């Protein structure tokens, strides 16, 4: 089977979330020993987890894993970031040695860390935390032509899905999106512009913290790429191939595989939500399995979240990526399930 | 020594936070393998933790404990809450049996749970999670006269401090405020009105979720109490005695003791911030040791946070109390310390 057909077949496996289980969680919340509604959004997350699992109470996630999809970007040649591509590989070395921000935060919340190379340009070592599934060594410059072929985009989607499948088979019960790729907020902005129809100026941000001149250039590059490719928002693989990154395609695959297995997927920042827009086109039902971990300061992130109808759990003014913001939301997700499972009802407590 | 003098002596032990250690954390953040500032408020919390500990990197909290200060309230006779006082005791039974929201959330974030009875009206069992330090069995009706005497307020402050001292001696390295007391959002609103000078209508909220008529009555009770007592905002024990709850006094003591030991204190909702206002009058330096865990939906909570100059970490539309909102912020606090301690610098990673 062609990669593109495999993507369609996999997307078709995603069933709608179970509204009845969600409604049962809503009713259960009103019987637990607390004023109804007093846990606010934690209750809403519990309802969502029940709908995702198709069970009330939902299972309490015990083995969260962050998957850091990694790739490099030909568009870096346009000067959209002050960091060179080599930093992608150097940061992956830090992820493997356990000395990056994502490692410190994953350890805090009890999450495993897997790096998924779908498109890094530099040589990488063999390491137990690193999964090799490179489709190509970085994208082509999206401001000159397609970032990759449709077949490559599909292969990256499948690589992300395969990583998720293997993790789930190994016991992972909560997936967290991470990303690494110097320059990747440029394709993220392109994807968000393409899928939401918003102008470049509204979805392009400072990424790692670029200055005004670089931001103006980056915005121009995004606007030009949309003009050049005129991507069709209904054709997710076409959009990914034209203006995406290999890591965005992989995260779209991870989302679809998580959803197909009724596993919640916690989204990190602008790269994650750009990937989620692609997943949502491939299978609208997948959106029901997504939890927005945090609101990145990147303007494109908020545009994508609005488009997806997702309200983030945290707003800590973060813009690092790697999965760091989403990981900080993991305890809230676990607590939301624990509350439904472990609290007594008023009847059990002999109150009221 | 009189209780009141003991409070003053204890408050005097709180030293200012260490600005130099904070500045060192700020500089260290710019050398770690991430774009400067990209962890947003997590970096600011790390700076604060370094200033609190007087060390960079600050110690990573390993033994957080939530202290649920509990008391009953004579003002309940005015009809400010639909729940009877007996529910305070029933909820404490749930905290002891591990079936309340605070237990589920504390377990999620790895925090211990201690219930501190400083003023409950009903009989309570002996239980390892329950510390008996009852000053009186509930306050008097603050709408008719003082809620308690100054000596009782001081004794409750000392009871909270003693609980904190014992926990810290036992290894607790992060204190989280919790509270239980049917009706306690009324004295909380009175305390906030008294300390901030804001009118009753701006600081009185729906507590457990009261209807419009009860809210109107509650607001009138708060306004009347302020008129009746005309408390002096510079006299913390006087304000606590006139319109406070025993649990608010105890939490003020817990804050002072934590600060005296350079231990961070994470504040929960409206009752915690009302207590923090009292602690801040007893010792302004204590504010530097406080982290606001979340923004309660109670309007008085936001008024108090503004007055204290604290920005909460979470805004999840919670209004339960018990310490639930603050506990959900604990992983963010731990992560903030871990990042400073466990991340490599660019130099160590061989980047740049």
């Amino acid at each position: 089977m062609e990669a593109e057909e495999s993507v369609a077949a996999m997307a078709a496996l995603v069933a709608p979330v179970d509204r009845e289980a969600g409604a049962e969680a809503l009713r259960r919340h009103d019987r637990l020993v607390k004023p109804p509604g007093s846990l606010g959004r934690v209750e809403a997350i519990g309802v969502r987890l029940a709908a995702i699992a198709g069970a009330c109470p939902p299972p309490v996630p015990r083995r969260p894993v962050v998957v850091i999809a990694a790739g490099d970007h030909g568009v870096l040649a346009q000067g959209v970031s002050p960091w060179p591509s080599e930093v992608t590989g150097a940061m992956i070395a830090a992820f493997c040695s356990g000395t990056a921000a994502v490692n410190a935060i994953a350890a805090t919340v009890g999450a495993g860390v897997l790096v998924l190379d779908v498109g890094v340009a530099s040589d990488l070592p063999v390491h137990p935390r690193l999964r090799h599934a490179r489709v190509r060594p970085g994208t082509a410059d999206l401001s000159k032509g397609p970032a990759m072929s449709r077949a490559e985009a599909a292969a990256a989607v499948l690589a992300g899905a395969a990583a998720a499948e293997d993790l789930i088979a190994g016991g992972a019960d909560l997936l967290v999106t991470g990303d690494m790729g110097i320059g990747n907020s440029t394709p993220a902005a392109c994807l968000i512009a393409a899928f939401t129809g918003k102008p470049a100026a509204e979805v392009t941000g400072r990424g790692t913290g670029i200055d005004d001149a670089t931001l103006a250039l980056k915005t121009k590059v995004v606007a030009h790429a949309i003009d050049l490719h005129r991507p069709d928002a209904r054709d997710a693989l076409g959009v990914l191939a034209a203006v995406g990154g290999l890591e965005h395609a992989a995260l779209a695959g991870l989302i679809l595989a998580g959803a197909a297995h009724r596993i919640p997927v916690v989204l990190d920042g602008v790269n994650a939500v750009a990937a989620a827009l692609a997943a949502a086109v491939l299978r609208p039902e997948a959106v029901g399995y997504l939890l927005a971990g945090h609101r990145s300061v990147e303007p494109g992130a908020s545009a994508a979240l609005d488009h997806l109808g997702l309200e983030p759990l945290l707003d800590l003014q973060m813009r690092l990526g790697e999965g760091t913001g989403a990981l900080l939301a993991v305890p809230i997700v676990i607590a939301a399930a624990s509350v439904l499972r472990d609290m007594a009802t008023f009847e059990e407590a002999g109150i009221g």
Side-chain angles (χ1 to χ4, degrees), chain A residues 1 3 9 15 24-25 45 103 110 119 154 164 204 213 225 232 247 281 285 291-292 303 312 317 320 347 352:
Chain A
M1 190 157 41
E24 197 183 330
I45 296 294
N103 302 98
T204 308
D232 176 358
E247 66 269 52
V281 172
E285 290 82 352
L291 304 170
Q317 305 296 304
L320 176 55
E347 198 180 353

Side-chain angles (χ1 to χ4, degrees), chain A residues 73-78 136 139-147 221 228-229:
Chain A
H73 301 276
V75 72
L76 213 56
Q78 300 303 316
R136 54 178 283 170
T139 55
D141 183 348
L142 59 83
S143 72
K144 305 275 172 113
V221 168
L228 175 69
H229 299 286

Side-chain angles (χ1 to χ4, degrees), chain A residues 1-331:
Chain A
M1 190 157 41
E2 294 293 318
E4 199 165 329
E5 291 167 36
S6 298
V7 169
M10 187 192 54
L13 296 176
V14 178
V17 295
D18 183 342
R19 287 181 190 285
E20 183 41 46
E24 197 183 330
L26 201 60
R27 289 190 298 272
R28 180 166 171 80
H29 260 304
D30 286 349
R31 295 169 49 221
L32 299 177
V33 282
K34 58 175 179 53
S38 60
L39 284 173
R41 296 197 52 215
V42 174
E43 296 190 20
I45 296 294
V47 168
R48 189 126 191 182
L49 293 174
I52 289 171
C56 177
V60 178
R62 301 287 180 205
R63 298 185 67 178
V65 180
V66 60
V67 178
I68 308 170
D72 278 304
H73 301 276
V75 72
L76 213 56
Q78 300 303 316
V80 292
S81 169
W83 302 81
S85 260
E86 291 69 40
V87 172
T88 302
M91 285 307 304
I92 290 172
F95 302 152
C96 289
S97 68
T99 57
V102 66
N103 302 98
I105 297 177
T108 299
V109 305
V113 175
L114 179 76
V115 183
L116 174 65
D117 171 16
V118 276
V120 178
S122 49
D123 286 342
L124 295 177
V126 171
H127 190 278
R129 277 197 193 126
L130 176 54
R131 181 175 171 117
H132 295 269
R134 191 176 296 179
V135 173
R136 54 178 283 170
T139 55
D141 183 348
L142 59 83
S143 72
K144 305 275 172 113
M148 64 190 107
S149 70
R150 290 180 71 91
E152 286 166 339
V157 171
L158 295 176
E165 298 270 357
D166 286 354
L167 287 169
I168 293 166
D173 51 11
L174 183 67
L175 294 175
V176 179
T177 69
D179 66 272
M180 183 67 221
I182 295 299
N184 67 7
S185 63
T186 296
C190 290
L191 291 169
I192 295 166
F195 285 120
T196 68
K198 288 200 180 281
E202 286 182 29
V203 299
T204 308
R206 291 180 189 273
T208 53
I210 55 176
D211 61 20
D212 289 350
T214 312
L215 177 61
L217 168 78
K218 183 175 170 181
T219 306
K220 204 178 270 185
V221 168
V222 172
H224 168 74
I226 298 297
D227 271 357
L228 175 69
H229 299 286
R230 304 211 165 272
D232 176 358
R234 296 160 301 181
D235 174 20
L237 288 176
V239 176
L240 285 166
V243 296
L246 291 142
E247 66 269 52
H248 303 104
L251 290 179
L254 173 130
I255 289 167
L256 293 173
H261 286 273
R262 310 195 76 97
I263 297 288
V265 180
V266 185
L267 299 178
D268 191 40
V270 70
N271 290 290
V273 295
L277 291 171
V281 172
L282 289 166
R283 188 67 168 176
E285 290 82 352
V287 177
Y289 296 85
L290 300 175
L291 304 170
H294 80 125
R295 183 181 299 282
S296 157
V297 296
E298 283 286 299
S302 289
L305 289 168
D306 286 351
H307 192 83
L308 291 163
L310 297 174
E311 183 67 32
L313 284 166
L314 302 175
D315 184 356
L316 295 170
Q317 305 296 304
M318 294 171 72
R319 55 180 166 81
L320 176 55
E322 299 181 6
T324 51
L327 283 167
L328 286 173
V330 163

